[in-house]
Amino acid sequence: MVPLHVDALPYATRAAIPAVSVHAAPLPNAISAHTLTVNGQAVQELVINLRAPGVEAMPAIANNRLGTTASLAEIAAQNHAIAAINGTFFDAGGDNFPAGALELNGAFVFNARGTLLGFGPNGQTTMLRAAEALSLDVDDPSSSISAMWPWYLNRTSTNPMRVDVLTPYFGPETRDPSALVAQVVRGRVTAIHAGITPIPSNGYDIELGAGEAKTPIAMRVHVGDPATLTDTVLALPSERPVPFSAYPNAIGAGPMLLHNGRVDVEPSVEGLNAADILNAETLRSVVGTDRAGHLIFLTIHEANVWQEASIAKALGLWDAMNLDGGSSVGLWYEGRYLTPPKRPLATAIVVVQR
């Protein structure tokens, strides 16, 4: 841990101080940790060299199942991580399902609107304002219409007119006893059941609410039909598709704080207008990158999102986004907490060394 105070220095001189210059220089180790004071706020920082041999960052779901929680230390242990920071928003005290996008191993497991941070296999990252468009085609030979127009991916709902897609991350089985469910394995419908249905470990379930199951859409699904599920990343606000196959792991939160080294906070574009997210001066966590491509984790003692953006800029980050805050804020490194969270978490970003 390297204590450093930069709050007394004007921004123009900050590039010369060690906390900033260390980002631009090759790191002798995979991770370096710093204790800082920036703009009067206590900050914990981890600088991660994603190009160090075997080092990789990715999102992690507590217990590998949505709707559950664990301590940040437990999530780190479950993933054999060497460092971890809390992840995206979630319904703490409710069903514990996330409110930010999650992609694992090339497949989205939860969709949302916000800022999306993607991780590539060779240390590359990308950050953009994004939403994800889910599409599902079930090819019925007797119909020219194949689209199923799914509403949700791995999200609980009681709407009788919904179409859901539920993968093993949702749990071992569906939850609605009134639904009609088509099981899909290896891209083909293998069974159709009424009521609560197991979710195949090597596929997913298409769940039609009780009302939707009485419409013609249900008549177009048969055992043996090919099924194709896709999830397209759309840049905001244009909603134009963007290539994302180079980033098989991703996590969404927001709002964006910095883009190309400039403060760029536009929460309305991301659908994040809640005052408790934006204005509360509370514990904050940040994930971002510097211009040299290092991944940066920050926890800040007390800030709103604009103060958070200012601190991230002062520390030399190039792109940055806000993560879940308040009681969720946690930073773990070398087997101990640098910032202990005050509650169990649903997700995290972990750093592993293969």
mmCIF file of all heavy atoms in Angstrom, residues 66-69 90-98 155-157 175 346:
data_model
loop_
_atom_site.group_PDB
_atom_site.id
_atom_site.type_symbol
_atom_site.label_atom_id
_atom_site.label_comp_id
_atom_site.label_asym_id
_atom_site.label_seq_id
_atom_site.Cartn_x
_atom_site.Cartn_y
_atom_site.Cartn_z
ATOM 1 N N LEU A 66 -27.966 -16.481 -10.457
ATOM 2 C CA LEU A 66 -28.663 -15.225 -10.248
ATOM 3 C C LEU A 66 -29.651 -15.352 -9.093
ATOM 4 O O LEU A 66 -30.223 -16.420 -8.856
ATOM 5 C CB LEU A 66 -29.411 -14.823 -11.521
ATOM 6 C CG LEU A 66 -28.540 -14.545 -12.739
ATOM 7 C CD1 LEU A 66 -29.417 -14.399 -13.987
ATOM 8 C CD2 LEU A 66 -27.694 -13.300 -12.549
ATOM 9 N N GLY A 67 -29.846 -14.229 -8.393
ATOM 10 C CA GLY A 67 -30.800 -14.232 -7.285
ATOM 11 C C GLY A 67 -30.218 -14.691 -5.968
ATOM 12 O O GLY A 67 -30.943 -14.808 -4.980
ATOM 13 N N THR A 68 -28.904 -14.932 -5.924
ATOM 14 C CA THR A 68 -28.245 -15.313 -4.678
ATOM 15 C C THR A 68 -27.174 -14.277 -4.356
ATOM 16 O O THR A 68 -26.775 -13.476 -5.204
ATOM 17 C CB THR A 68 -27.612 -16.711 -4.760
ATOM 18 O OG1 THR A 68 -26.456 -16.660 -5.619
ATOM 19 C CG2 THR A 68 -28.599 -17.725 -5.304
ATOM 20 N N THR A 69 -26.697 -14.295 -3.124
ATOM 21 C CA THR A 69 -25.655 -13.364 -2.713
ATOM 22 C C THR A 69 -24.567 -14.096 -1.938
ATOM 23 O O THR A 69 -24.772 -15.209 -1.441
ATOM 24 C CB THR A 69 -26.224 -12.235 -1.825
ATOM 25 O OG1 THR A 69 -26.802 -12.802 -0.642
ATOM 26 C CG2 THR A 69 -27.263 -11.412 -2.575
ATOM 27 N N PHE A 90 -28.253 -4.319 -7.844
ATOM 28 C CA PHE A 90 -29.122 -5.489 -7.697
ATOM 29 C C PHE A 90 -30.207 -5.167 -6.678
ATOM 30 O O PHE A 90 -30.121 -4.180 -5.937
ATOM 31 C CB PHE A 90 -28.328 -6.734 -7.290
ATOM 32 C CG PHE A 90 -27.736 -6.699 -5.903
ATOM 33 C CD1 PHE A 90 -28.303 -7.435 -4.876
ATOM 34 C CD2 PHE A 90 -26.602 -5.941 -5.628
ATOM 35 C CE1 PHE A 90 -27.763 -7.409 -3.597
ATOM 36 C CE2 PHE A 90 -26.053 -5.913 -4.354
ATOM 37 C CZ PHE A 90 -26.626 -6.650 -3.340
ATOM 38 N N ASP A 91 -31.227 -5.990 -6.672
ATOM 39 C CA ASP A 91 -32.383 -5.768 -5.804
ATOM 40 C C ASP A 91 -32.083 -6.311 -4.407
ATOM 41 O O ASP A 91 -32.619 -7.351 -3.996
ATOM 42 C CB ASP A 91 -33.619 -6.432 -6.412
ATOM 43 C CG ASP A 91 -34.889 -6.146 -5.617
ATOM 44 O OD1 ASP A 91 -34.866 -5.238 -4.764
ATOM 45 O OD2 ASP A 91 -35.901 -6.845 -5.847
ATOM 46 N N ALA A 92 -31.213 -5.622 -3.700
ATOM 47 C CA ALA A 92 -30.848 -6.040 -2.344
ATOM 48 C C ALA A 92 -32.070 -5.978 -1.446
ATOM 49 O O ALA A 92 -32.802 -4.996 -1.442
ATOM 50 C CB ALA A 92 -29.749 -5.143 -1.801
ATOM 51 N N GLY A 93 -32.307 -7.018 -0.695
ATOM 52 C CA GLY A 93 -33.480 -7.076 0.167
ATOM 53 C C GLY A 93 -34.710 -7.572 -0.552
ATOM 54 O O GLY A 93 -35.744 -7.818 0.080
ATOM 55 N N GLY A 94 -34.632 -7.710 -1.887
ATOM 56 C CA GLY A 94 -35.734 -8.257 -2.677
ATOM 57 C C GLY A 94 -35.340 -9.623 -3.215
ATOM 58 O O GLY A 94 -34.934 -10.506 -2.463
ATOM 59 N N ASP A 95 -35.402 -9.758 -4.563
ATOM 60 C CA ASP A 95 -35.070 -11.064 -5.138
ATOM 61 C C ASP A 95 -33.584 -11.201 -5.457
ATOM 62 O O ASP A 95 -33.136 -12.250 -5.918
ATOM 63 C CB ASP A 95 -35.902 -11.343 -6.391
ATOM 64 C CG ASP A 95 -35.645 -10.356 -7.527
ATOM 65 O OD1 ASP A 95 -34.666 -9.590 -7.469
ATOM 66 O OD2 ASP A 95 -36.441 -10.353 -8.491
ATOM 67 N N ASN A 96 -32.797 -10.135 -5.200
ATOM 68 C CA ASN A 96 -31.344 -10.142 -5.396
ATOM 69 C C ASN A 96 -30.922 -10.310 -6.858
ATOM 70 O O ASN A 96 -29.736 -10.555 -7.131
ATOM 71 C CB ASN A 96 -30.668 -11.225 -4.542
ATOM 72 C CG ASN A 96 -30.726 -10.901 -3.067
ATOM 73 O OD1 ASN A 96 -30.458 -9.779 -2.647
ATOM 74 N ND2 ASN A 96 -31.114 -11.879 -2.260
ATOM 75 N N PHE A 97 -31.871 -10.171 -7.807
ATOM 76 C CA PHE A 97 -31.497 -10.225 -9.212
ATOM 77 C C PHE A 97 -30.823 -8.913 -9.600
ATOM 78 O O PHE A 97 -31.115 -7.859 -9.037
ATOM 79 C CB PHE A 97 -32.720 -10.498 -10.083
ATOM 80 C CG PHE A 97 -32.975 -11.966 -10.296
ATOM 81 C CD1 PHE A 97 -33.360 -12.776 -9.241
ATOM 82 C CD2 PHE A 97 -32.806 -12.541 -11.535
ATOM 83 C CE1 PHE A 97 -33.583 -14.126 -9.415
ATOM 84 C CE2 PHE A 97 -33.023 -13.894 -11.732
ATOM 85 C CZ PHE A 97 -33.416 -14.691 -10.678
ATOM 86 N N PRO A 98 -29.908 -8.966 -10.580
ATOM 87 C CA PRO A 98 -29.180 -7.751 -10.955
ATOM 88 C C PRO A 98 -30.053 -6.770 -11.715
ATOM 89 O O PRO A 98 -31.170 -7.095 -12.154
ATOM 90 C CB PRO A 98 -28.054 -8.284 -11.859
ATOM 91 C CG PRO A 98 -28.605 -9.550 -12.419
ATOM 92 C CD PRO A 98 -29.476 -10.137 -11.346
ATOM 93 N N ARG A 155 -35.080 -13.175 -16.106
ATOM 94 C CA ARG A 155 -35.690 -12.176 -15.242
ATOM 95 C C ARG A 155 -37.028 -12.722 -14.732
ATOM 96 O O ARG A 155 -37.803 -13.298 -15.505
ATOM 97 C CB ARG A 155 -35.921 -10.883 -16.013
ATOM 98 C CG ARG A 155 -36.298 -9.686 -15.142
ATOM 99 C CD ARG A 155 -36.646 -8.500 -16.021
ATOM 100 N NE ARG A 155 -35.562 -8.067 -16.882
ATOM 101 C CZ ARG A 155 -34.754 -7.039 -16.636
ATOM 102 N NH1 ARG A 155 -34.916 -6.336 -15.527
ATOM 103 N NH2 ARG A 155 -33.821 -6.691 -17.472
ATOM 104 N N THR A 156 -37.314 -12.546 -13.462
ATOM 105 C CA THR A 156 -38.590 -13.011 -12.926
ATOM 106 C C THR A 156 -39.704 -12.074 -13.374
ATOM 107 O O THR A 156 -39.542 -10.859 -13.431
ATOM 108 C CB THR A 156 -38.549 -13.063 -11.388
ATOM 109 O OG1 THR A 156 -38.196 -11.771 -10.891
ATOM 110 C CG2 THR A 156 -37.524 -14.079 -10.899
ATOM 111 N N SER A 157 -40.850 -12.656 -13.713
ATOM 112 C CA SER A 157 -42.010 -11.869 -14.140
ATOM 113 C C SER A 157 -43.261 -12.701 -13.942
ATOM 114 O O SER A 157 -43.243 -13.925 -14.073
ATOM 115 C CB SER A 157 -41.886 -11.474 -15.606
ATOM 116 O OG SER A 157 -43.070 -10.852 -16.065
ATOM 117 N N ARG A 175 -40.369 -21.084 -12.582
ATOM 118 C CA ARG A 175 -41.061 -20.842 -11.319
ATOM 119 C C ARG A 175 -42.568 -20.647 -11.461
ATOM 120 O O ARG A 175 -43.263 -20.565 -10.453
ATOM 121 C CB ARG A 175 -40.459 -19.602 -10.635
ATOM 122 C CG ARG A 175 -38.977 -19.723 -10.365
ATOM 123 C CD ARG A 175 -38.426 -18.512 -9.644
ATOM 124 N NE ARG A 175 -36.979 -18.565 -9.501
ATOM 125 C CZ ARG A 175 -36.248 -17.661 -8.881
ATOM 126 N NH1 ARG A 175 -36.841 -16.586 -8.339
ATOM 127 N NH2 ARG A 175 -34.939 -17.777 -8.804
ATOM 128 N N ALA A 346 -24.469 -9.576 -5.090
ATOM 129 C CA ALA A 346 -24.962 -10.486 -6.131
ATOM 130 C C ALA A 346 -23.930 -10.708 -7.226
ATOM 131 O O ALA A 346 -23.889 -11.775 -7.842
ATOM 132 C CB ALA A 346 -26.253 -9.938 -6.732
#
